[in-house]
Amino acid sequence: YFVDDLNLPEVDKYNTQSAIALLRQYMEYEHFYDLAKLTSKTISNTQVVSCMNPTAGSFEVNPRLQRWFVTFAIGLPGPTSLLTIYQTFLDGHLR
């Protein structure tokens, strides 16, 4: 699964984020509870990849969730690099 903008869910009055708590529960226990049938729904053999918005959100991730991820910090490419990247794709596409 790909989780975009991991740091954007709003923090509630209990200082938690319900979407993040649900994701953490899935990653930790590999199942959810079906409250209508009172049974567990198992989800296995999956991977979760996520990203964070560097300009908005809380800029912090719950440590209980973050322990399930390998963290990489990648800066935005400069104007020269962006030109090379897009020019390469467009040249290949427009030929």
Side-chain angles (χ1 to χ4, degrees), residues 3-17:
V3 180
D4 193 11
D5 295 335
L6 185 66
N7 59 330
L8 285 184
E10 185 176 352
V11 178
D12 62 18
K13 66 180 181 179
Y14 303 109
N15 200 26
T16 61
Q17 298 164 301

Side-chain angles (χ1 to χ4, degrees), residues 24-32 42-43 64 68:
R24 185 198 55 81
Q25 178 185 349
Y26 152 68
M27 294 180 77
E28 194 164 323
Y29 301 110
E30 294 187 345
H31 69 271
F32 296 104
T42 302
I43 302 171
R64 294 175 68 194
W68 294 103

Side-chain angles (χ1 to χ4, degrees), residues 50-52 54 66 70-77:
S50 67
C51 69
M52 293 176 61
Q66 189 173 358
V70 175
T71 305
F72 297 99
I74 301 171
L76 295 173

Side-chain angles (χ1 to χ4, degrees), residues 8 17 43-44 46 48 53-54 67 71 88 90:
L8 285 184
Q17 298 164 301
I43 302 171
S44 58
T46 60
V48 177
N53 186 337
R67 71 181 175 154
T71 305
T88 302
L90 285 173

